[in-house]
């Protein structure tokens, strides 16, 4: 079975500071993709960043970067220079095949 | 707006009634997914289509649930004889699947179902 675990139900960060959200996953596939999705309050989910498992280089998208540790099956999201608009639920997801498996989410609040 | 749209956004129904939701994907996307999301949880996969073919169904999709994508464009998800446990947000997503390498899903706003 594929599982994605997010062990931090809630986090907060001061505006302009850096925060890291944790995610671990379990898969028997040799190649897969990992994603972080953001779900703002009452709004639809949008993709923040993705990582191909066969790439060793960590993905970066502006203020968002990941720390991908394949051997440890760890995929954390770092948000730098946090902004009020970053307040949202963040879901980690893996797609070892045709399905997406999501974690339970981390609710991030950016404090002014 | 060229994103994924879902209709209705909210549905309140009585236990035992049938409900149908519609999803319109991004026009060139060949894959369409349905998920269910309950409070405090991440989305759970229900089923997906590639064009008009339903390729995979989760064990979560009981006999009371049926999904169609008749012309490979919009999709409907019907729940028959609704139960209170069906109350959830139903999310639709679409993607352009070319090969195994890339399958970014774009999500719609969801339909929130409340069964009284």
């Amino acid at each position: 079975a594929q599982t994605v675990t997010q062990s931090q139900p809630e986090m907060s960060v001061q505006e302009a500071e850096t925060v890291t959200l944790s995610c671990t996953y379990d898969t028997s596939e040799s190649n897969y993709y990992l994603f972080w999705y953001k779900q703002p309050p009452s709004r639809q989910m949008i993709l923040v960043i993705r990582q191909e498992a066969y790439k060793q280089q960590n993905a970066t998208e502006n203020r968002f970067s990941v720390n991908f540790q394949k051997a440890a099956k760890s995929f954390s999201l770092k948000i730098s220079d946090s902004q009020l608009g970053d307040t949202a639920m963040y879901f980690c997801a893996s797609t070892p095949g045709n399905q997406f498996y999501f974690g339970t989410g981390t609710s991030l609040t950016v404090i002014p | 707006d060229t994103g994924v749209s879902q209709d209705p956004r909210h549905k309140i129904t009585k236990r035992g009634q049938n409900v149908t939701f519609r999803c319109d994907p991004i026009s060139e996307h060949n894959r369409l997914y349905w998920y269910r999301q309950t409070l405090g949880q991440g989305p759970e996969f229900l089923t997906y289509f590639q064009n008009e073919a339903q390729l995979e169904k989760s064990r979560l999709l009981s006999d009371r649930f049926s999904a169609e994508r008749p012309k490979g464009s919009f999709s409907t998800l019907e729940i028959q004889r609704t139960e209170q446990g069906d109350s959830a947000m139903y999310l639709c997503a679409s993607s352009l699947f070319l090969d195994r390498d890339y399958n970014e899903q774009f999500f719609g706003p969801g339909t929130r179902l409340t069964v009284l």
Side-chain angles (χ1 to χ4, degrees), chain A residues 10 17 21 26 29 40 47 52-53 68 75 89 99 103:
Chain A
E10 296 182 357
E17 296 296 308
L21 280 56
D26 186 20
E29 296 287 326
L47 179 68
E52 291 94 332
F68 174 47
F75 182 61
M89 282 291 288
Q99 293 190 22

Tab-separated table of all heavy atoms in Angstrom, chain A residues 10 17 21 26 29 40 47 52-53 68 75 89 99 103:
chain	number	residue	atom	x	y	z
A	10	GLU	N	-0.643	21.207	12.395
A	10	GLU	CA	-0.709	22.667	12.366
A	10	GLU	C	0.678	23.251	12.592
A	10	GLU	O	1.450	22.744	13.395
A	10	GLU	CB	-1.650	23.189	13.462
A	10	GLU	CG	-3.097	22.781	13.306
A	10	GLU	CD	-3.970	23.372	14.397
A	10	GLU	OE1	-3.429	24.036	15.295
A	10	GLU	OE2	-5.189	23.147	14.365
A	17	GLU	N	9.616	35.020	7.801
A	17	GLU	CA	10.479	33.960	8.297
A	17	GLU	C	10.380	32.725	7.391
A	17	GLU	O	9.600	32.685	6.430
A	17	GLU	CB	10.087	33.592	9.734
A	17	GLU	CG	10.295	34.721	10.739
A	17	GLU	CD	11.761	35.084	10.879
A	17	GLU	OE1	12.593	34.185	11.122
A	17	GLU	OE2	12.091	36.289	10.742
A	21	LEU	N	7.855	22.214	6.235
A	21	LEU	CA	6.778	21.251	6.437
A	21	LEU	C	7.305	19.866	6.079
A	21	LEU	O	7.949	19.690	5.041
A	21	LEU	CB	5.576	21.592	5.550
A	21	LEU	CG	4.614	22.692	6.007
A	21	LEU	CD1	5.322	24.002	6.265
A	21	LEU	CD2	3.505	22.878	4.989
A	26	ASP	N	5.722	6.171	1.528
A	26	ASP	CA	6.145	4.784	1.395
A	26	ASP	C	5.683	4.294	0.032
A	26	ASP	O	4.501	4.401	-0.298
A	26	ASP	CB	5.529	3.920	2.496
A	26	ASP	CG	6.056	2.498	2.473
A	26	ASP	OD1	7.130	2.271	1.886
A	26	ASP	OD2	5.384	1.618	3.028
A	29	GLU	N	7.539	1.485	-5.684
A	29	GLU	CA	7.870	1.816	-7.051
A	29	GLU	C	9.287	2.374	-7.139
A	29	GLU	O	9.791	2.983	-6.190
A	29	GLU	CB	6.892	2.868	-7.596
A	29	GLU	CG	5.465	2.386	-7.676
A	29	GLU	CD	5.227	1.407	-8.799
A	29	GLU	OE1	5.886	1.560	-9.848
A	29	GLU	OE2	4.389	0.502	-8.631
A	40	PRO	N	-5.830	26.997	-0.122
A	40	PRO	CA	-6.216	28.154	0.702
A	40	PRO	C	-7.636	27.981	1.218
A	40	PRO	O	-8.418	27.208	0.635
A	40	PRO	CB	-6.117	29.329	-0.269
A	40	PRO	CG	-5.289	28.842	-1.418
A	40	PRO	CD	-5.561	27.375	-1.509
A	47	LEU	N	-1.040	23.477	-7.344
A	47	LEU	CA	0.270	22.857	-7.224
A	47	LEU	C	1.305	23.894	-6.801
A	47	LEU	O	1.380	24.972	-7.377
A	47	LEU	CB	0.675	22.225	-8.557
A	47	LEU	CG	2.043	21.556	-8.596
A	47	LEU	CD1	2.046	20.318	-7.711
A	47	LEU	CD2	2.406	21.187	-10.027
A	52	GLU	N	10.596	14.886	-9.378
A	52	GLU	CA	10.694	13.556	-9.964
A	52	GLU	C	11.677	12.742	-9.140
A	52	GLU	O	12.774	13.206	-8.846
A	52	GLU	CB	11.168	13.645	-11.416
A	52	GLU	CG	10.166	14.258	-12.360
A	52	GLU	CD	10.365	15.755	-12.557
A	52	GLU	OE1	10.890	16.408	-11.633
A	52	GLU	OE2	9.988	16.260	-13.616
A	53	ALA	N	11.296	11.529	-8.797
A	53	ALA	CA	12.117	10.728	-7.890
A	53	ALA	C	13.480	10.385	-8.471
A	53	ALA	O	14.453	10.173	-7.735
A	53	ALA	CB	11.380	9.455	-7.501
A	68	PHE	N	14.518	16.605	-0.737
A	68	PHE	CA	14.117	15.261	-1.119
A	68	PHE	C	15.212	14.286	-0.715
A	68	PHE	O	16.336	14.358	-1.214
A	68	PHE	CB	13.866	15.206	-2.622
A	68	PHE	CG	13.583	13.837	-3.169
A	68	PHE	CD1	12.667	12.999	-2.548
A	68	PHE	CD2	14.211	13.388	-4.316
A	68	PHE	CE1	12.387	11.737	-3.054
A	68	PHE	CE2	13.944	12.137	-4.832
A	68	PHE	CZ	13.032	11.304	-4.205
A	75	PHE	N	10.298	14.040	2.097
A	75	PHE	CA	10.058	15.074	1.078
A	75	PHE	C	9.512	16.304	1.795
A	75	PHE	O	8.304	16.493	1.891
A	75	PHE	CB	9.069	14.536	0.049
A	75	PHE	CG	8.749	15.475	-1.085
A	75	PHE	CD1	9.734	15.914	-1.953
A	75	PHE	CD2	7.453	15.895	-1.301
A	75	PHE	CE1	9.433	16.761	-3.008
A	75	PHE	CE2	7.134	16.747	-2.356
A	75	PHE	CZ	8.128	17.177	-3.208
A	89	MET	N	-3.861	25.170	3.846
A	89	MET	CA	-3.527	23.762	4.093
A	89	MET	C	-2.545	23.334	3.018
A	89	MET	O	-2.710	23.667	1.841
A	89	MET	CB	-4.777	22.883	3.998
A	89	MET	CG	-5.669	22.917	5.207
A	89	MET	SD	-4.931	22.124	6.629
A	89	MET	CE	-5.020	20.405	6.147
A	99	GLN	N	-2.664	6.769	-9.625
A	99	GLN	CA	-3.388	7.404	-8.525
A	99	GLN	C	-2.494	8.396	-7.800
A	99	GLN	O	-1.287	8.252	-7.778
A	99	GLN	CB	-3.843	6.356	-7.521
A	99	GLN	CG	-4.885	5.393	-8.014
A	99	GLN	CD	-5.444	4.557	-6.883
A	99	GLN	OE1	-5.373	4.950	-5.717
A	99	GLN	NE2	-6.034	3.431	-7.210
A	103	GLY	N	-1.361	13.078	1.785
A	103	GLY	CA	-1.269	13.067	3.239
A	103	GLY	C	-2.468	13.779	3.837
A	103	GLY	O	-3.349	14.265	3.128
